[in-house]
Amino acid sequence: MAAPRSFLCRLALAYNGSSRGIHGLSGAVPPEGNQRKRRTLLQFLSDHFYDVEALRLYLLQIKMSKVHQENRSLAHIREKYGPYIAGAFFVLKQGGAVKFQDHEWIRPNKRGHFSREFLKLQTVPVQAVDASGCAINYDGLDNLLPLKELQSLSLQHCPHVDDWCLSRLYPLAGSLQELSLSGCPQISERGLACLHHLQNLRRLDISNLPAVSYPGLTRILVEEMLPNCEVLGMDEAQGL
Amino acid sequence: MGGSPKGWTMFRRALRLRSSRVLLVRRLGTRRGGSTLDWDGKVSDIKKKIGSILPGETWAPLYDTRHLPPEHSDVVIVGGGVLGLSVAFWLKQLQKKRDGIRVLVVERDHTYSKASTVLSVGGIRQQFSLPENVQLSLFSVNFLRNINEYLAVVDSPPLDLQFNPSGYLLLASEQGAANLENNVKMQRQEGAKVGLMSPQQLQNKFPWMNVKGVALASYGMEDEGWFDPWSLLQGLRRKVQSMGVLFCQGEVTRFTTSSNSMVTSSGEEVVLKRIYEVHVKMNNSLEYQPVECAIVINAAGAWSGQIAELAGIGKGPPGTLKGTKLPVEPRKRYVYVWHCPQGPGLEMPFIADTNGVYFRREGLGNNYLGGLSPTEEEEPDPINLDVDHDFFQDKVWPHLAQRVPAFQSLKVQNAWAGYYDYNTFDQNGVVGPHPLVVNMYFATGFSGHGLQHAPAVGRAVAEMVLEGHFQTIDMSPFLFSRFHLGEKVLEDNIF
C-alpha cells in the first residue's frame, strides 16, 4: 500500500505547499476576507470532514518534525571531536559553508556531500560560518554557540531564524564582528533590539527584512544602539 | 370533431390564466388565497424547514436553544481567560482518544473588557524566588517559543505573539542584595539564564540610568521579555475551538451538590461534596440552563472567590477546613503609558526598581509604560476600573525621574486599570482540587503573574484531572490545603 499512500502524501503536500510552504509559514498575514475567496478543494473538504482535517494536521506536524530532526543536538560528536568540529559538521550537513582559521572555505557540493578532511582540525577554531538558506532554528543554534572565536556569521534567507534565535546570540559577543540577517522572513525589530549585547560587532546587514514594520526608524534606532557598528540595509528610501 | 370548439377555447384560456404568474383577475373565493403570488417565498420556507431537520443542524421545535450551553458536559471551566483556555487546551491535548472528553468553557463577557489577561502588561520572566515558579516560567516560555507547533490550526495563519526578548532587570538596594544573589543562584540551578551586574557594569551598559542606591542587579539574558496577551488568547481560542471545546456566554449562578458523609480513622465526621450540576444563566435574561457535569474548574480570575462561595467553600466555623475560604479577591492595578522623547533606546529591558516601580519600552516611538503596586493602606477600591492619575503624579513619577533622569520631562498619553486575582494569603497561585468539594479544581490566584505561568498551570491542572497527580512540574506546594494548615508559600519578586 506504499504507492497510493505516498501519492496521497505528495498530493496533500502539493496543496499544503501552495498556500503554506516554508516561506508561507511566516511573513505578512493576509486578512481573513482574502482567504475566504480562494477556497481550494482540500480546504473545503477539511471544513466538512474531520478525517481530512486530522490528516492535514498530521502532515503539518510531520513537516515541523523534519525541521526538528535537522536541528537535533550533536552532543556525541561534540564529546568525541570537540565543539569546533561539531559546529562545522552541523553547518555542512545543513548545506552551509564553514571557514576554519588559516584555511579555505569548506562547502558541500551540489549533492550535499563534503569531504571529511576537516575532522583533523580539532583544535583549529572556526572563524566564519555561512548558513545562508539553511533550515537552522533555535535548537540548532546549540551547535553554533560554543564556537567562541567565531568572527563572521551569515544567516541570510534562513526561514526559521526568528526573534528568539537573535536573543540567543549573546555568548558570541566576545568575538563576533560580522553578522548578516538579510532576507530572513521572521525577524522583526523586536529581535534586533537584543543585538545590543554584541558590542564587538562592526558590520550588521539587516536589508530586506519583510517583518520589520518601520525600516527607516528601526535602522536609526539600531545605529544608536550599536555606535561602533556599520549598519547596512533599510535605507531611508524604503518607506519611512 | 364537432364538439364545442367554443368550450375548448374557453378551457384553454382558463388554463393559460391559471398557469401564468401574473394574476389578471382578483378571485372572489379565498379558498386559494394569494398562494401563487408568494410561491417563491413558500418554496424557500419549505427548503429552510427541511434544512433544519437534517442531521447536524439545530432543530428545536419548541424554541431556539442555540445560545444555551449543552445539557451534559464532562468538564465545565468557569472563566474563559488565558488560564481557563490553557486548561481546556491541555485537557484535549493530553487525552489520547479523540473527543474522549467533553469540555465546556463558560465566559461571562466575550469582549473580555474586564479580564485580567488582556489588560495585562504581558511580561514573562524567570526571576522568581520559588523554584516552582521558575520551572513554571521555563515551561511557559518553551510553550510560547514553539507556539506555532502547539496551536497549529489547518488553514489559519501562524500566530505572531510580538515577543520582545529584551529581558528583565531587577535592581536591589543594600538590604535586598543578599536575597537577590541567592535567588539568582537558585534560578541558574533551575536552568534560567540570569546574570548578576554590579552598579559599575550597569552604568557602562545603560548610560541613561542613574545607579544611585543600587547595590546589585540581576539581568535576564534570554527567554525573558514581554508579549501581546491578546494574540495568545486568540490563538488559544482558535485552537481550542478546532479541538471541539464548546463555548458559552453566560454566568455561573449556582452549583448543585450532593453530599456524602464519611468517618475518618480518628472517628471524625467529614462531609464530602460533589458538584453534579452547574446553572449557567444567560446575560441580560433570567433564562438559565442546568449543565450536568463531572468536574468543575475554577479559573474565574479576580472573581474566583465568588465562584468558590457558590460551591459552599468557606461556609463553616472559622478555623476548620470547612470554614476556610478561598482567599482570592480582585485588586485594582494601574498601568500608565507615557512619551519621553529623550528616553532610553532599543536596548532598554523591563526594569523593576528597588521600591517596586516597574516600567518598559513600548514600541519604537519613545513610548514607555509602567506602574506600581500600591501598599496595603493605599489599595484602591476595586468596584470599577477608573484610573487615578494622581497616583502617577505622587507615587510613580518621582521614582521614575530618580532612576532615569530623562523621565523628568514626560507626558502621560494613556492609562488603564486592570484586576489582579490577588491571593491575600501568600500572593501565589492555587492549583489543584479542594479537599472537601472533591470535583472542583482551582487554577487561579496568581496575583499578577498568571499570564506568564498559564501554559504550565494549564498542563498541571489537566494532568491532575486526567491522571490524578502532577507529572511534569510538582505543584503540591500550591494546593488549597495550605490555607487551612497555614503554610505560606511566599514569593519575594511580586510587583
Side-chain angles (χ1 to χ4, degrees):
Chain A
M1 283 307 283
R5 206 183 79 201
S6 65
F7 170 68
L8 190 65
C9 280
R10 257 183 284 134
L11 184 72
L13 268 169
Y15 270 110
N16 253 341
S18 62
S19 58
R20 294 176 39 93
I22 253 183
H23 300 286
L25 272 177
S26 56
V29 164
E32 287 297 322
N34 271 350
Q35 288 190 325
R36 285 205 68 80
K37 286 178 196 160
R38 301 192 58 232
R39 298 196 69 72
T40 63
L41 173 67
L42 214 59
Q43 284 172 350
F44 174 80
L45 287 176
S46 292
D47 285 344
H48 288 76
F49 296 104
Y50 283 123
D51 315 328
V52 178
E53 189 186 351
L55 176 70
R56 286 186 74 196
L57 200 62
Y58 177 65
L59 293 173
L60 201 66
Q61 280 163 353
I62 285 188
K63 223 198 300 190
M64 289 189 209
S65 70
K66 271 203 199 130
V67 176
H68 277 307
Q69 182 68 1
E70 282 196 32
N71 280 291
R72 64 190 184 280
S73 173
L74 301 171
H76 54 286
I77 300 187
R78 207 174 310 141
E79 276 164 24
K80 195 167 169 198
Y81 290 102
Y84 305 126
I85 304 292
F89 182 74
F90 171 74
V91 176
L92 290 168
K93 198 94 172 88
Q94 294 241 331
V98 148
K99 181 180 189 307
F100 283 86
Q101 208 169 45
D102 305 324
H103 284 76
E104 290 296 320
W105 279 95
I106 308 176
R107 281 174 202 281
N109 65 7
K110 249 183 291 192
R111 282 160 147 245
H113 298 149
F114 47 90
S115 77
R116 307 282 165 164
E117 284 197 5
F118 68 95
L119 290 173
K120 299 177 213 143
L121 308 166
Q122 277 196 35
T123 48
V124 181
V126 174
Q127 200 176 34
V129 161
D130 178 9
S132 311
C134 296
I136 187 173
N137 72 358
Y138 183 91
D139 300 312
L141 278 183
D142 264 342
N143 300 308
L144 287 186
L145 294 176
L147 303 173
K148 290 288 178 246
E149 282 89 3
L150 190 64
Q151 286 180 7
S152 157
L153 178 59
S154 168
L155 294 170
Q156 296 187 15
H157 304 290
C158 289
H160 300 288
V161 165
D162 55 5
D163 297 333
W164 298 88
C165 298
L166 289 189
S167 79
R168 227 183 164 193
L169 290 180
Y170 64 89
L172 301 173
S175 58
L176 197 65
Q177 290 177 8
E178 195 178 319
L179 178 62
S180 171
L181 299 169
S182 111
C184 291
Q186 294 200 47
I187 292 186
S188 71
E189 65 271 16
R190 302 178 281 276
L192 295 177
C194 43
L195 292 180
H196 69 276
H197 293 285
L198 306 172
Q199 284 302 322
N200 282 326
L201 208 57
R202 298 288 169 260
R203 238 177 94 93
L204 177 62
D205 184 357
I206 45 175
S207 52
N208 197 12
L209 293 178
V212 171
S213 21
Y214 303 103
L217 180 59
T218 310
R219 187 209 156 102
I220 294 173
L221 291 171
V222 170
E223 278 177 350
E224 270 178 31
M225 186 175 80
L226 293 169
N228 301 328
C229 181
E230 180 196 349
V231 176
L232 300 165
M234 286 211 238
D235 293 326
E236 312 206 350
Q238 262 185 2
L240 244 172
Chain B
M1 183 112 170
S4 52
K6 201 169 173 194
W8 180 245
T9 42
M10 261 172 70
F11 176 66
R12 273 166 64 207
R13 211 181 292 137
L15 260 183
R16 230 181 288 133
L17 265 178
R18 199 116 49 90
S19 64
S20 77
R21 295 300 177 90
V22 181
L23 207 59
L24 293 169
V25 172
R26 189 176 171 226
R27 293 187 187 275
L28 285 171
T30 50
R31 272 170 296 155
R32 271 177 296 229
S35 54
T36 46
L37 237 188
D38 201 21
W39 189 241
D40 281 336
K42 277 224 152 152
V43 164
S44 58
D45 268 344
I46 293 176
K47 274 194 193 158
K48 265 193 216 150
K49 277 215 187 96
I50 294 180
S52 69
I53 319 177
L54 284 180
E57 303 294 324
T58 53
W59 184 44
L62 292 176
Y63 51 87
D64 192 5
T65 53
R66 269 174 300 192
H67 56 288
L68 291 176
E71 290 175 9
H72 310 272
S73 181
D74 293 327
V75 179
V76 172
I77 301 182
V78 182
V82 69
L83 267 180
L85 292 184
S86 173
V87 174
F89 169 74
W90 283 108
L91 275 173
K92 281 290 196 178
Q93 180 87 337
L94 294 177
Q95 176 69 313
K96 296 289 181 284
K97 198 169 161 184
R98 268 194 71 162
D99 287 334
I101 188 165
R102 280 177 302 180
V103 182
L104 170 72
V105 173
V106 179
E107 167 58 48
R108 185 167 52 180
D109 179 12
H110 270 185
T111 60
Y112 293 96
S113 54
K114 292 196 186 157
S116 310
T117 306
V118 295
L119 295 169
S120 153
V121 158
I124 178 164
R125 59 185 159 104
Q126 282 88 52
Q127 297 184 44
F128 287 101
S129 61
L130 273 177
E132 285 85 11
N133 275 339
V134 180
Q135 287 167 14
L136 287 175
S137 270
L138 283 170
F139 183 94
S140 302
V141 125
N142 214 0
F143 182 90
L144 293 181
R145 192 184 319 126
N146 296 317
I147 196 147
N148 281 315
E149 286 179 30
Y150 284 108
L151 302 188
V153 176
V154 170
D155 287 336
S156 280
L159 208 58
D160 180 16
L161 280 182
Q162 319 241 334
F163 180 70
N164 282 273
S166 295
Y168 263 69
L169 182 71
L170 263 62
L171 304 174
S173 57
E174 285 286 334
Q175 301 119 310
N179 217 7
L180 190 78
E181 209 177 323
N182 289 337
N183 288 344
V184 169
K185 204 157 76 167
M186 181 275 293
Q187 287 150 20
R188 287 174 80 100
Q189 263 176 344
E190 294 289 338
K193 317 275 195 313
V194 186
L196 283 169
M197 288 174 86
S198 69
Q200 190 53 46
Q201 285 171 326
L202 209 54
Q203 188 71 90
N204 292 343
K205 189 135 186 87
F206 305 118
W208 35 261
M209 199 190 287
N210 168 19
V211 296
K212 185 162 155 232
V214 176
L216 196 57
S218 67
Y219 188 27
M221 314 287 278
E222 240 193 273
D223 285 348
E224 289 193 347
W226 58 91
F227 65 97
D228 177 22
W230 181 253
S231 36
L232 176 63
L233 193 69
Q234 291 309 309
L236 273 173
R237 224 183 132 95
R238 200 175 64 182
K239 175 68 176 174
V240 139
Q241 266 175 336
S242 85
M243 286 165 127
V245 168
L246 298 168
F247 277 82
C248 171
Q249 185 170 11
E251 193 182 335
V252 169
T253 44
R254 192 177 160 188
F255 290 118
T256 321
T257 55
S258 64
S259 321
N260 207 348
S261 181
M262 310 187 105
V263 182
T264 62
S265 48
S266 52
E268 209 183 297
E269 199 192 332
V270 175
V271 174
L272 296 173
K273 290 210 284 191
R274 272 200 90 87
I275 301 174
Y276 66 86
E277 215 175 54
V278 177
H279 285 211
V280 178
K281 178 180 100 71
M282 296 297 114
N283 290 337
N284 304 325
S285 107
L286 288 175
E287 199 183 1
Y288 72 90
Q289 165 79 316
V291 179
E292 221 180 307
C293 63
I295 287 171
V296 173
I297 306 212
N298 186 353
W303 302 275
S304 318
Q306 296 170 13
I307 297 290
E309 270 176 24
L310 282 180
I313 295 174
K315 297 213 175 98
T320 59
L321 185 55
K322 215 166 157 196
T324 319
K325 293 197 217 271
L326 178 70
V328 174
E329 60 181 46
R331 290 279 175 99
K332 189 158 77 159
R333 293 286 179 265
Y334 305 114
V335 177
Y336 304 93
V337 182
W338 63 88
H339 173 74
C340 174
Q342 309 301 326
L346 273 184
E347 72 274 9
M348 177 179 177
F350 195 127
I351 301 182
D353 208 345
T354 50
N355 40 34
V357 171
Y358 58 88
F359 51 99
R360 67 160 170 89
R361 175 179 60 87
E362 166 70 26
L364 295 178
N366 279 96
N367 292 322
Y368 307 89
L369 61 83
L372 166 68
S373 286
T375 56
E376 285 287 340
E377 299 84 40
E378 302 167 333
E379 277 291 344
D381 190 6
I383 197 115
N384 59 20
L385 285 179
D386 291 342
V387 177
D388 179 11
H389 291 275
D390 295 327
F391 184 73
F392 182 78
Q393 287 279 123
D394 304 329
K395 300 278 188 297
V396 184
W397 196 0
H399 296 299
L400 288 179
Q402 205 244 331
R403 188 55 66 205
V404 179
F407 283 161
Q408 268 159 11
S409 61
L410 56 78
K411 184 165 189 249
V412 176
Q413 306 276 26
N414 195 4
W416 67 83
Y419 290 120
Y420 271 18
D421 45 347
Y422 195 80
N423 181 346
T424 48
F425 187 72
D426 55 10
Q427 290 89 59
N428 255 321
V430 192
V431 175
H434 188 274
L436 293 180
V437 181
V438 260
N439 61 351
M440 171 170 267
Y441 291 76
F442 296 105
T444 178
F446 282 92
S447 321
H449 46 102
L451 175 66
Q452 50 191 294
H453 290 162
V457 169
R459 185 167 179 144
V461 174
E463 282 169 359
M464 194 57 160
V465 167
L466 294 172
E467 313 281 335
H469 55 270
F470 297 119
Q471 279 178 329
T472 20
I473 301 176
D474 182 23
M475 305 268 290
S476 27
F478 294 108
L479 289 172
F480 184 93
S481 37
R482 75 184 195 267
F483 301 135
H484 173 62
L485 297 170
E487 294 166 356
K488 289 200 182 187
V489 186
L490 284 169
E491 168 62 55
D492 295 336
N493 297 338
I494 301 271
F495 356 97

